[in-house]
Amino acid sequence: MLVHTSGSTGEPKALWVEKRRMEASARITCDFLGLKAGDTALLCMPLDFIAGKMMVVRALVRGLRLISVEPSGRPFSGDSLQLIGDRCDLLSVQGSAQAGNHTCQLSPVTCHLSPVTCHLDFAAMVPLQVWNTVRVAEERERLMAVRHLIIGGGAIDDELARELRCFPNAVWSTYGMTETLSHIALRRLNGPEASEWYTPFEGVEVRTDADGCLVIDAPHVCAETLVTNDIAEVATTTGADGRSQVRFRIIGRRDNVICSGGVKIQIEEVERLLRPHLGSDFLITKRADKKFGEAVVLLYKKGGLSAEELRAVCRRTLPKYWVPRFFVAADALPYTATGKPARKEAELLVQGV
């Protein structure tokens, strides 16, 4: 199957992947989460990307009942919420395997469940979808009822993580990319197991290279060793059973480092410190600077705090050399189709302003 990478291991590119590896990835996730035939899963992401494709593959492999709603920033809102109720696009997924060839038949069936009684065992969403959903009481209630919610495709900021801690069912952050056919590690966001550290699936080995970037060996989903652009910390702990467990946490992306006056500044770390004070209506980026080489820039959405007010918050919150030198207002902030900050576009917006 032809898929397109997003740039986690280099420049975005087209990539042919083997369906047997997609199947292996699906089985690992379903086994880990305890999903069984007949469980209900929500498809609310575009099939153009690996996350959407893998939801269908998981349904095929495990025999899940797949509910499909139009991809949007609020999957449980308005018409989408109604779709999950009276006239949802419920797909009966049937699969067969003969001589290693897999066929998938998706046939619409009728769902007569109300929005209250239509139970979801599994859903996958990007952080932006979750952020929007928890802001609306009715949608938040529906999200809290999902038995297993996995969130991927971007960083989960501290404020959103705090809101998810009170969810009664399991909420997970995923780590993965197109090359690994969705995720190869999970970390719990709520409950006593909540952690900043990702636990790789069985059969996955991780380490860091000389630049501090995460290196992944996951032969069941990818034939090659992957060197990512994610700066990571890898640690080994010993469990109660005496077995060692390798875990890792992501610090930021190598290409999101700003070198200003000899000081290396990680964009994600600056955003993490500011987000509790500024919400989500800003991005940190950079521009060329004659004196410092590169300068930190805060790109913010018009209609909120002024540049001077933002500067004051930054001075109170950030280390001295991390404080942005420039503040640029925009009508809208740039994001990718999967809800990630569009870093290159953000850079272009602030050059020469």
Side-chain angles (χ1 to χ4, degrees):
M1 180 174 289
L2 183 64
V3 297
H4 293 84
T5 69
S6 61
S8 297
T9 61
E11 290 296 321
K13 61 184 178 180
L15 180 70
W16 286 99
V17 299
E18 297 166 284
K19 292 180 181 179
R20 67 183 180 88
R21 295 187 187 277
M22 298 177 78
E23 179 185 9
S25 174
R27 291 191 187 281
I28 291 170
T29 295
C30 291
D31 289 345
F32 184 90
L33 298 178
L35 298 174
K36 61 185 185 300
D39 283 347
T40 303
L42 177 66
L43 173 63
C44 61
M45 292 185 290
L47 289 173
D48 297 336
F49 303 101
I50 193 65
K53 285 180 170 65
M54 286 306 302
M55 285 299 292
V56 176
V57 175
R58 293 176 194 124
L60 167 63
V61 168
R62 192 48 51 97
L64 306 177
R65 298 167 67 233
L66 189 64
I67 293 177
S68 173
V69 299
E70 187 72 22
S72 73
R74 290 170 56 192
F76 293 115
S77 68
D79 292 340
S80 293
L81 183 64
Q82 186 63 38
L83 283 171
I84 296 176
D86 299 331
R87 33 178 222 283
C88 69
D89 186 10
L90 182 62
L91 302 178
S92 175
V93 183
Q94 298 176 337
S96 64
Q98 296 180 349
N101 296 319
H102 297 268
T103 61
C104 176
Q105 295 178 344
L106 300 178
S107 55
V109 298
T110 303
C111 176
H112 298 291
L113 301 176
S114 70
V116 175
T117 60
C118 188
H119 176 73
L120 289 174
D121 295 289
F122 180 44
M125 300 167 66
V126 298
L128 182 62
Q129 290 175 313
V130 178
W131 174 269
N132 291 335
T133 299
V134 299
R135 313 250 79 74
V136 182
E138 184 180 14
E139 297 168 32
R140 178 190 177 95
E141 184 178 352
R142 289 288 298 140
L143 188 64
M144 292 179 72
V146 177
R147 184 159 66 92
H148 282 288
L149 171 65
I150 63 173
I151 308 171
I156 298 170
D157 65 67
D158 292 342
E159 183 178 349
L160 180 57
R162 284 193 295 270
E163 295 203 45
L164 296 172
R165 283 186 197 136
C166 67
F167 274 41
N169 295 311
V171 184
W172 307 87
S173 172
T174 71
Y175 180 83
M177 59 210 66
T178 303
E179 292 90 331
T180 61
L181 306 178
S182 194
H183 48 269
I184 49 86
L186 294 174
R187 68 180 178 95
R188 194 62 186 265
L189 292 174
N190 65 335
E193 300 174 6
S195 174
E196 293 182 351
W197 295 79
Y198 288 95
T199 300
F201 289 146
E202 187 175 353
V204 176
E205 296 183 1
V206 296
R207 62 185 186 276
T208 54
D209 65 7
D211 295 323
C213 292
L214 189 70
V215 180
I216 302 171
D217 284 303
H220 55 283
V221 296
C222 184
E224 301 176 353
T225 297
L226 296 174
V227 180
T228 75
N229 284 327
D230 292 321
I231 298 174
E233 180 181 356
V234 177
T236 301
T237 59
T238 303
D241 58 0
R243 298 176 60 185
S244 61
Q245 174 66 63
V246 175
R247 302 187 302 165
F248 66 93
R249 70 184 186 99
I250 301 300
I251 298 172
R253 285 180 61 88
R254 179 172 58 181
D255 45 0
N256 288 342
V257 174
I258 302 172
C259 189
S260 184
V263 177
K264 291 187 177 180
I265 303 164
Q266 191 72 47
I267 283 177
E268 293 91 343
E269 285 292 288
V270 180
E271 291 177 339
R272 182 183 65 82
L273 291 175
L274 288 177
R275 190 152 284 120
H277 307 280
L278 301 181
S280 60
D281 291 336
F282 79 98
L283 293 175
I284 294 297
T285 185
K286 61 184 177 181
R287 58 177 289 184
D289 187 89
K290 292 181 179 179
K291 181 177 180 180
F292 294 95
E294 293 179 329
V296 181
V297 182
L298 191 148
L299 179 65
Y300 64 99
K301 192 173 180 179
K302 292 178 180 177
L305 297 178
S306 67
E308 286 307 312
E309 290 171 321
L310 290 169
R311 190 185 304 275
V313 172
C314 291
R315 285 174 173 167
R316 292 195 305 268
T317 307
L318 300 173
K320 178 179 178 181
Y321 296 109
W322 292 18
V323 175
R325 288 178 53 80
F326 302 97
F327 294 79
V328 178
D331 293 323
L333 300 179
Y335 288 95
T336 68
T338 56
K340 300 178 184 179
R343 299 294 184 187
K344 293 297 183 183
E345 188 175 339
E347 280 189 44
L348 292 174
L349 283 174
V350 304
Q351 298 304 315
V353 177

XYZ file of all heavy atoms in Angstrom, residues 44-130:
643
model
N -12.701 8.738 12.982
C -13.008 10.165 12.850
C -11.848 10.941 12.249
O -11.783 12.164 12.357
C -13.392 10.754 14.211
S -12.111 10.642 15.476
N -10.909 10.218 11.607
C -9.759 10.849 10.968
C -9.727 10.482 9.486
O -10.236 9.428 9.097
C -8.467 10.438 11.667
C -8.350 11.006 13.071
S -6.761 10.629 13.845
C -6.939 8.878 14.120
N -9.130 11.322 8.663
C -9.107 11.050 7.217
C -8.347 9.768 6.885
O -7.343 9.441 7.522
C -8.383 12.270 6.642
C -8.445 13.317 7.704
C -8.465 12.587 9.008
N -8.811 9.070 5.874
C -8.129 7.866 5.413
C -6.890 8.188 4.583
O -6.170 7.286 4.170
C -9.089 7.001 4.598
C -10.192 6.324 5.413
C -11.179 5.632 4.491
C -9.599 5.322 6.385
N -6.634 9.476 4.341
C -5.434 9.881 3.607
C -4.164 9.609 4.412
O -3.078 9.509 3.851
C -5.477 11.377 3.270
C -6.635 11.728 2.360
O -7.105 10.828 1.636
O -7.075 12.887 2.376
N -4.311 9.537 5.745
C -3.148 9.415 6.616
C -3.124 8.042 7.284
O -4.139 7.353 7.385
C -3.147 10.526 7.662
C -3.169 11.900 7.064
C -4.361 12.621 7.005
C -2.028 12.471 6.537
C -4.401 13.888 6.446
C -2.050 13.733 5.969
C -3.237 14.438 5.916
N -1.945 7.655 7.774
C -1.762 6.315 8.320
C -2.673 6.055 9.509
O -3.143 4.922 9.703
C -0.272 6.086 8.702
C -0.006 4.599 8.981
C 0.129 6.960 9.877
C -0.169 3.702 7.789
N -2.963 7.067 10.323
C -3.805 6.860 11.504
C -5.200 6.396 11.108
O -5.761 5.482 11.719
C -3.880 8.142 12.323
N -5.774 7.020 10.091
C -7.087 6.610 9.616
C -7.054 5.237 8.972
O -7.933 4.395 9.199
N -6.044 4.993 8.150
C -5.910 3.682 7.506
C -5.826 2.568 8.550
O -6.450 1.506 8.419
C -4.658 3.657 6.625
C -4.771 4.428 5.309
C -3.474 4.323 4.524
C -3.604 4.868 3.098
N -3.881 6.316 3.064
N -5.038 2.800 9.603
C -4.825 1.748 10.597
C -6.070 1.472 11.426
O -6.246 0.358 11.932
C -3.644 2.107 11.496
C -2.280 1.941 10.825
S -1.998 0.293 10.110
C -2.217 -0.753 11.546
N -6.960 2.445 11.582
C -8.224 2.168 12.275
C -9.037 1.138 11.489
O -9.648 0.230 12.065
C -9.030 3.446 12.473
C -8.500 4.355 13.570
S -8.502 3.578 15.206
C -10.269 3.431 15.524
N -9.040 1.275 10.159
C -9.765 0.306 9.332
C -9.078 -1.055 9.397
O -9.738 -2.098 9.494
C -9.859 0.799 7.876
C -10.517 -0.250 6.994
C -10.649 2.101 7.816
N -7.750 -1.067 9.364
C -7.019 -2.336 9.426
C -7.283 -3.043 10.752
O -7.485 -4.268 10.795
C -5.508 -2.104 9.224
C -4.730 -3.413 9.414
C -5.244 -1.546 7.834
N -7.313 -2.283 11.854
C -7.599 -2.905 13.158
C -8.991 -3.513 13.175
O -9.209 -4.594 13.734
C -7.451 -1.862 14.273
C -6.021 -1.383 14.483
C -5.941 -0.293 15.534
N -4.641 0.375 15.476
C -4.468 1.675 15.322
N -5.528 2.489 15.240
N -3.263 2.195 15.257
N -9.945 -2.797 12.571
C -11.307 -3.331 12.506
C -11.345 -4.615 11.684
O -12.033 -5.582 12.036
C -12.249 -2.282 11.914
N -10.604 -4.645 10.592
C -10.539 -5.827 9.737
C -9.899 -7.003 10.468
O -10.415 -8.120 10.463
C -9.744 -5.496 8.468
C -9.296 -6.658 7.578
C -10.511 -7.378 7.019
C -8.405 -6.156 6.464
N -8.772 -6.746 11.092
C -8.006 -7.806 11.739
C -8.730 -8.376 12.951
O -8.731 -9.592 13.174
C -6.605 -7.270 12.139
C -5.887 -8.236 13.079
C -5.759 -7.026 10.893
N -9.370 -7.523 13.751
C -9.983 -7.964 15.000
C -11.496 -8.124 14.905
O -12.121 -8.620 15.834
C -9.597 -6.985 16.122
C -9.909 -7.430 17.552
C -9.477 -8.847 17.886
N -8.107 -9.147 17.562
C -7.106 -9.099 18.420
N -7.326 -8.715 19.663
N -5.895 -9.430 18.044
N -12.105 -7.722 13.800
C -13.548 -7.855 13.668
C -14.304 -6.828 14.486
O -15.354 -7.127 15.076
N -13.818 -5.598 14.521
C -14.483 -4.530 15.263
C -15.642 -3.966 14.452
O -15.644 -4.007 13.220
C -13.487 -3.405 15.576
C -12.190 -3.806 16.287
C -11.294 -2.580 16.450
C -12.481 -4.440 17.644
N -16.627 -3.419 15.142
C -17.721 -2.697 14.497
C -17.261 -1.242 14.371
O -17.063 -0.558 15.362
C -18.995 -2.807 15.333
C -19.484 -4.230 15.499
C -20.542 -4.369 16.580
N -21.780 -3.695 16.210
C -22.384 -2.795 16.976
N -21.857 -2.428 18.132
N -23.515 -2.249 16.586
N -17.098 -0.784 13.158
C -16.467 0.509 12.904
C -17.510 1.580 12.603
O -18.272 1.464 11.640
C -15.494 0.382 11.732
C -14.575 1.574 11.449
C -13.633 1.812 12.616
C -13.789 1.343 10.171
N -17.552 2.617 13.425
C -18.434 3.757 13.195
C -17.613 4.860 12.536
O -16.587 5.287 13.053
C -19.039 4.276 14.508
C -19.989 3.234 15.106
C -19.784 5.583 14.288
C -20.572 3.632 16.434
N -18.071 5.334 11.377
C -17.358 6.363 10.631
C -18.136 7.669 10.667
O -19.326 7.699 10.352
C -17.170 5.914 9.176
O -16.629 6.957 8.403
N -17.471 8.742 11.099
C -18.061 10.077 11.044
C -17.149 10.973 10.207
O -15.970 10.698 10.042
C -18.262 10.692 12.450
C -19.203 9.844 13.282
C -16.931 10.866 13.169
N -17.709 12.037 9.680
C -16.937 12.972 8.868
C -15.792 13.557 9.693
O -16.020 14.074 10.790
C -17.837 14.111 8.384
C -17.177 15.042 7.390
C -16.980 14.414 6.031
O -17.700 13.444 5.711
O -16.096 14.891 5.294
N -14.539 13.460 9.215
C -13.423 14.025 9.977
C -13.626 15.522 10.222
O -13.966 16.276 9.305
C -12.215 13.783 9.060
C -12.618 12.627 8.204
C -14.088 12.790 7.981
N -13.443 15.934 11.466
C -13.594 17.342 11.827
C -12.848 17.589 13.121
O -12.379 16.651 13.777
C -15.077 17.715 11.998
O -15.595 17.169 13.194
N -12.757 18.848 13.512
C -12.100 19.205 14.756
C -12.905 18.832 15.982
O -12.369 18.812 17.093
N -14.210 18.517 15.801
C -15.077 18.139 16.922
C -15.921 16.927 16.511
O -17.062 17.063 16.095
C -15.974 19.315 17.322
C -15.231 20.466 17.990
C -16.121 21.681 18.142
N -17.344 21.383 18.885
C -18.382 22.209 18.958
N -18.352 23.364 18.327
N -19.457 21.876 19.648
N -15.368 15.729 16.659
C -16.052 14.525 16.183
C -17.384 14.238 16.873
O -18.227 13.539 16.323
C -15.043 13.409 16.494
C -13.727 14.093 16.600
C -14.024 15.446 17.163
N -17.583 14.763 18.088
C -18.811 14.488 18.832
C -19.795 15.653 18.800
O -20.734 15.697 19.586
C -18.481 14.164 20.290
C -17.726 12.883 20.465
C -16.433 12.891 20.956
C -18.300 11.666 20.131
C -15.729 11.716 21.119
C -17.608 10.487 20.291
C -16.318 10.505 20.782
N -19.598 16.583 17.894
C -20.448 17.772 17.874
C -21.595 17.637 16.887
O -21.499 16.916 15.901
C -19.628 19.008 17.486
O -19.209 18.919 16.132
N -22.684 18.337 17.153
C -23.789 18.508 16.213
C -24.164 17.273 15.444
O -24.574 16.261 16.003
N -24.030 17.357 14.128
C -24.420 16.255 13.258
C -23.606 14.993 13.546
O -24.118 13.882 13.431
C -24.237 16.645 11.793
C -25.223 17.725 11.363
O -26.251 17.877 12.047
O -24.952 18.402 10.363
N -22.324 15.168 13.905
C -21.507 13.992 14.182
C -22.061 13.212 15.359
O -22.131 11.985 15.344
C -20.053 14.411 14.468
O -19.444 14.940 13.315
N -22.479 13.935 16.406
C -23.043 13.279 17.580
C -24.307 12.533 17.201
O -24.558 11.417 17.657
C -23.358 14.317 18.666
C -23.892 13.756 19.991
C -22.841 12.897 20.643
C -24.299 14.883 20.918
N -25.119 13.131 16.330
C -26.333 12.466 15.892
C -26.008 11.227 15.062
O -26.660 10.194 15.166
C -27.200 13.424 15.063
C -28.565 12.852 14.672
C -29.425 12.554 15.877
O -29.405 13.305 16.843
N -30.164 11.458 15.829
N -24.959 11.320 14.242
C -24.563 10.174 13.433
C -24.197 8.985 14.303
O -24.481 7.833 13.964
C -23.379 10.544 12.531
C -23.691 11.377 11.283
C -22.395 11.831 10.656
C -24.515 10.586 10.292
N -23.557 9.270 15.426
C -23.176 8.188 16.325
C -24.427 7.616 16.985
O -24.418 6.537 17.543
C -22.158 8.693 17.368
C -20.880 9.120 16.667
C -21.824 7.630 18.388
C -19.850 9.726 17.561
N -25.535 8.336 16.885
C -26.776 7.854 17.460
C -27.663 7.192 16.437
O -27.445 6.059 16.021
N -28.658 7.917 15.944
C -29.740 7.297 15.192
C -29.359 6.804 13.804
O -29.857 5.795 13.355
C -30.897 8.302 15.057
C -31.442 8.694 16.412
O -31.344 7.850 17.326
O -31.941 9.819 16.548
N -28.497 7.501 13.084
C -28.255 7.109 11.708
C -26.762 7.109 11.400
O -26.291 7.682 10.438
C -28.986 8.037 10.743
C -29.115 9.467 11.182
C -29.806 10.320 10.130
N -29.137 11.596 10.000
C -29.263 12.584 10.859
N -30.044 12.444 11.902
N -28.609 13.708 10.689
N -26.027 6.468 12.293
C -24.572 6.452 12.130
C -24.176 5.600 10.931
O -24.884 4.683 10.526
C -23.885 5.919 13.384
S -24.168 4.180 13.686
N -23.049 5.938 10.382
C -22.480 5.174 9.278
C -21.704 4.016 9.891
O -20.481 4.048 10.015
C -21.564 6.081 8.450
C -21.049 5.381 7.203
O -21.548 4.286 6.911
O -20.175 5.941 6.551
N -22.448 2.996 10.325
C -21.829 1.852 10.990
C -21.416 0.838 9.937
O -22.226 0.396 9.130
C -22.817 1.235 11.977
C -22.337 0.036 12.805
C -21.172 0.451 13.677
C -23.480 -0.485 13.657
N -20.148 0.474 9.941
C -19.619 -0.412 8.913
C -19.387 -1.802 9.480
O -18.731 -1.965 10.503
C -18.303 0.149 8.356
C -18.394 1.547 7.748
C -17.006 1.992 7.296
C -19.370 1.584 6.595
N -19.948 -2.785 8.821
C -19.692 -4.166 9.192
C -18.428 -4.607 8.462
O -18.390 -4.645 7.235
C -20.868 -5.054 8.787
O -20.570 -6.415 9.038
N -17.392 -4.904 9.225
C -16.100 -5.233 8.627
C -15.903 -6.739 8.640
O -15.935 -7.375 9.688
C -14.959 -4.547 9.397
C -13.616 -4.820 8.728
C -15.207 -3.058 9.490
N -15.714 -7.312 7.468
C -15.480 -8.738 7.361
C -14.164 -8.963 6.634
O -13.888 -8.320 5.621
C -16.613 -9.427 6.593
C -17.979 -9.284 7.282
C -19.083 -9.885 6.462
O -18.955 -10.029 5.256
N -20.173 -10.228 7.124
N -13.352 -9.838 7.153
C -12.058 -10.082 6.529
C -11.840 -11.561 6.278
O -12.415 -12.413 6.946
N -11.018 -11.846 5.325
C -10.630 -13.227 5.063
C -9.165 -13.250 4.693
O -8.635 -12.288 4.147
C -11.463 -13.819 3.922
O -11.214 -13.135 2.711
N -8.511 -14.337 5.019
C -7.087 -14.483 4.720
C -6.865 -15.814 4.021
O -7.081 -16.872 4.608
C -6.270 -14.400 5.999
N -6.469 -15.760 2.783
C -6.186 -16.960 2.025
C -4.857 -16.787 1.319
O -4.666 -15.851 0.559
C -7.293 -17.238 1.003
C -8.653 -17.524 1.641
C -9.714 -17.795 0.598
O -9.489 -17.580 -0.584
N -10.862 -18.272 1.049
N -3.946 -17.696 1.623
C -2.606 -17.650 1.002
C -1.935 -16.295 1.213
O -1.240 -15.792 0.349
C -2.706 -17.969 -0.497
N -2.205 -15.701 2.402
C -1.546 -14.437 2.735
C -2.187 -13.222 2.134
O -1.726 -12.108 2.338
N -3.270 -13.380 1.358
C -3.944 -12.235 0.758
C -5.170 -11.880 1.582
O -5.976 -12.739 1.926
C -4.375 -12.556 -0.679
C -3.180 -12.798 -1.575
O -2.189 -12.079 -1.473
N -3.263 -13.806 -2.426
N -5.310 -10.604 1.890
C -6.400 -10.161 2.744
C -7.388 -9.341 1.930
O -7.009 -8.496 1.134
C -5.853 -9.325 3.911
C -4.950 -10.109 4.809
N -5.391 -10.763 5.918
C -3.619 -10.365 4.726
C -4.381 -11.390 6.510
N -3.285 -11.153 5.805
N -8.652 -9.612 2.143
C -9.694 -8.810 1.505
C -10.555 -8.190 2.578
O -10.738 -8.753 3.654
C -10.569 -9.676 0.588
O -11.216 -10.687 1.369
C -9.743 -10.325 -0.506
N -11.062 -7.029 2.311
C -11.878 -6.306 3.290
C -13.179 -5.886 2.638
O -13.175 -5.279 1.567
C -11.126 -5.074 3.786
S -12.069 -4.047 4.907
N -14.300 -6.239 3.279
C -15.599 -5.835 2.801
C -16.246 -4.931 3.832
O -16.452 -5.329 4.971
C -16.490 -7.057 2.549
C -15.973 -7.960 1.427
C -16.856 -9.173 1.234
O -17.652 -9.503 2.091
N -16.712 -9.820 0.096
N -16.537 -3.704 3.443
C -17.190 -2.753 4.332
C -18.620 -2.572 3.856
O -18.849 -2.068 2.757
C -16.448 -1.410 4.322
C -14.984 -1.436 4.766
C -14.388 -0.044 4.660
C -14.871 -1.942 6.187
N -19.582 -2.976 4.658
C -20.973 -2.855 4.253
C -21.741 -2.056 5.298
O -21.694 -2.375 6.489
C -21.606 -4.241 4.099
O -21.464 -4.995 5.282
N -22.447 -0.993 4.876
C -23.223 -0.191 5.827
C -24.346 -1.018 6.438
O -25.019 -1.794 5.757
C -23.784 0.934 4.958
C -22.927 0.948 3.738
C -22.512 -0.472 3.521
N -24.526 -0.888 7.747
C -25.648 -1.502 8.435
C -26.331 -0.437 9.271
O -25.805 0.646 9.479
C -25.198 -2.683 9.329
C -24.575 -3.781 8.505
C -24.204 -2.199 10.387
N -27.499 -0.725 9.767
C -28.276 0.277 10.500
C -27.993 0.192 11.992
O -27.955 -0.892 12.572
C -29.779 0.069 10.257
O -30.006 0.130 8.852
C -30.588 1.150 10.947
N -27.788 1.329 12.607
C -27.591 1.403 14.052
C -28.762 2.179 14.650
O -29.027 3.304 14.250
C -26.272 2.106 14.376
S -26.000 2.361 16.145
N -29.466 1.568 15.598
C -30.636 2.200 16.184
C -30.368 2.683 17.610
O -31.295 2.975 18.350
C -31.812 1.220 16.197
C -32.227 0.787 14.822
N -32.828 1.639 13.919
C -32.102 -0.404 14.185
C -33.080 0.994 12.793
N -32.630 -0.244 12.923
N -29.101 2.729 17.991
C -28.773 3.137 19.349
C -28.851 4.649 19.499
O -28.591 5.393 18.569
C -27.360 2.665 19.709
C -27.129 1.145 19.640
C -25.673 0.839 19.928
C -28.023 0.416 20.620
N -29.213 5.102 20.683
C -29.245 6.533 20.967
C -27.836 6.992 21.286
O -26.957 6.181 21.590
C -30.153 6.806 22.168
O -29.550 6.325 23.356
N -27.571 8.313 21.237
C -26.236 8.804 21.565
C -25.784 8.404 22.957
O -24.602 8.305 23.225
C -26.387 10.328 21.430
C -27.505 10.508 20.468
C -28.453 9.381 20.745
N -26.730 8.170 23.866
C -26.367 7.821 25.244
C -25.964 6.356 25.337
O -25.052 5.982 26.058
C -27.538 8.121 26.204
C -27.206 7.652 27.620
C -27.850 9.609 26.204
N -26.659 5.487 24.584
C -26.421 4.054 24.722
C -25.452 3.494 23.700
O -25.053 2.343 23.811
C -27.747 3.282 24.604
O -28.328 3.555 23.321
C -28.718 3.697 25.691
N -25.086 4.264 22.685
C -24.135 3.778 21.685
C -22.736 3.819 22.294
O -22.115 4.872 22.374
C -24.196 4.634 20.421
S -23.214 3.958 19.059
N -22.250 2.681 22.738
C -21.008 2.606 23.494
C -19.814 2.492 22.552
O -19.846 1.748 21.579
C -21.044 1.395 24.423
C -19.777 1.188 25.171
N -19.384 2.001 26.208
C -18.790 0.273 25.013
C -18.218 1.579 26.679
N -17.833 0.539 25.966
N -18.771 3.226 22.851
C -17.535 3.148 22.074
C -16.454 2.492 22.925
O -16.149 2.956 24.025
C -17.082 4.542 21.641
C -17.920 5.244 20.568
C -17.420 6.666 20.361
C -17.889 4.472 19.258
N -15.898 1.412 22.399
C -14.806 0.752 23.106
C -13.450 1.353 22.766
O -12.511 1.255 23.557
C -14.790 -0.743 22.750
C -16.031 -1.460 23.233
O -16.167 -1.642 24.448
O -16.874 -1.818 22.382
N -13.360 1.992 21.593
C -12.041 2.409 21.111
C -12.194 3.608 20.192
O -13.080 3.640 19.335
C -11.393 1.238 20.359
C -10.029 1.517 19.794
C -9.066 2.189 20.526
C -9.710 1.082 18.515
C -7.798 2.423 19.995
C -8.455 1.308 17.976
C -7.501 1.977 18.712
N -11.346 4.608 20.373
C -11.308 5.772 19.486
C -9.877 6.276 19.409
O -9.123 6.192 20.380
C -12.240 6.875 19.972
N -9.510 6.802 18.244
C -8.197 7.421 18.038
C -8.424 8.840 17.544
O -9.177 9.054 16.593
C -7.371 6.620 17.033
N -7.773 9.811 18.169
C -7.959 11.213 17.826
C -6.633 11.941 17.900
O -5.676 11.470 18.527
C -8.981 11.870 18.784
C -10.363 11.229 18.743
S -11.464 11.736 20.104
C -11.700 13.469 19.712
N -6.566 13.110 17.255
C -5.401 13.980 17.388
C -5.654 14.956 18.534
O -6.807 15.173 18.929
C -5.106 14.738 16.075
C -4.790 13.765 14.961
C -6.257 15.648 15.688
N -4.595 15.561 19.101
C -4.777 16.446 20.248
C -5.779 17.578 20.014
O -6.537 17.936 20.921
C -3.367 16.991 20.493
C -2.463 15.910 20.010
C -3.159 15.333 18.811
N -5.794 18.156 18.798
C -6.704 19.252 18.521
C -8.159 18.807 18.652
O -8.997 19.547 19.187
C -6.449 19.813 17.119
C -7.310 21.013 16.690
C -7.067 22.200 17.609
C -7.020 21.390 15.249
N -8.478 17.601 18.194
C -9.842 17.087 18.329
C -10.214 16.911 19.798
O -11.326 17.247 20.214
C -9.972 15.749 17.596
C -9.924 15.854 16.081
C -9.943 14.492 15.420
O -9.222 13.587 15.813
N -10.784 14.338 14.403
N -9.289 16.393 20.583
C -9.557 16.189 22.004
C -9.707 17.536 22.714
O -10.620 17.726 23.536
C -8.427 15.359 22.651
C -8.674 15.186 24.144
C -8.312 14.003 21.969
